[in-house]
Amino acid sequence: MTWPGRTRSPQEVSMPALHLLQSALVHVNTLLMQQVLADPKWADTLTDADRRALSPLYWTHVNPYGRFELDMNSRLDLGLE
């Protein structure tokens, strides 16, 4: 596998950047899961086994290698205000 750039320096930067991306993704996923689980409809529907299976480590909704559009005028409503 060939990384962009032939020197070691870009590779040394890319690993911490990917770790930061993963940590941010887990944080946002956790906030979104908490918001859904706060809804009484879901609280009554999920079993203990369902709750044990939940994980904020999912990333299938992310496309880290392709083109994506970022709309800086819209925000996720995470209820942090």
Side-chain angles (χ1 to χ4, degrees):
M1 176 182 218
T2 304
W3 290 87
R6 302 254 179 223
T7 64
R8 186 174 171 184
S9 184
Q11 293 177 10
E12 289 175 348
V13 171
S14 67
M15 189 57 66
L18 288 173
H19 286 166
L20 178 61
L21 175 64
Q22 182 184 31
S23 296
L25 182 62
V26 166
H27 179 69
V28 170
N29 286 347
T30 300
L31 293 174
L32 292 172
M33 286 174 57
Q34 287 176 343
Q35 187 176 28
V36 169
L37 293 174
D39 183 353
K41 180 181 82 171
W42 283 107
D44 296 337
T45 303
L46 295 175
T47 65
D48 288 339
D50 293 331
R51 286 187 186 88
R52 282 193 303 272
L54 291 175
S55 170
L57 298 176
Y58 62 92
W59 56 273
T60 55
H61 59 297
V62 176
N63 181 5
Y65 304 110
R67 181 180 172 158
F68 63 94
E69 295 185 22
L70 181 62
D71 183 0
M72 294 301 289
N73 295 317
S74 67
R75 302 271 189 245
L76 291 174
D77 181 18
L78 300 174
L80 300 175
E81 298 171 6

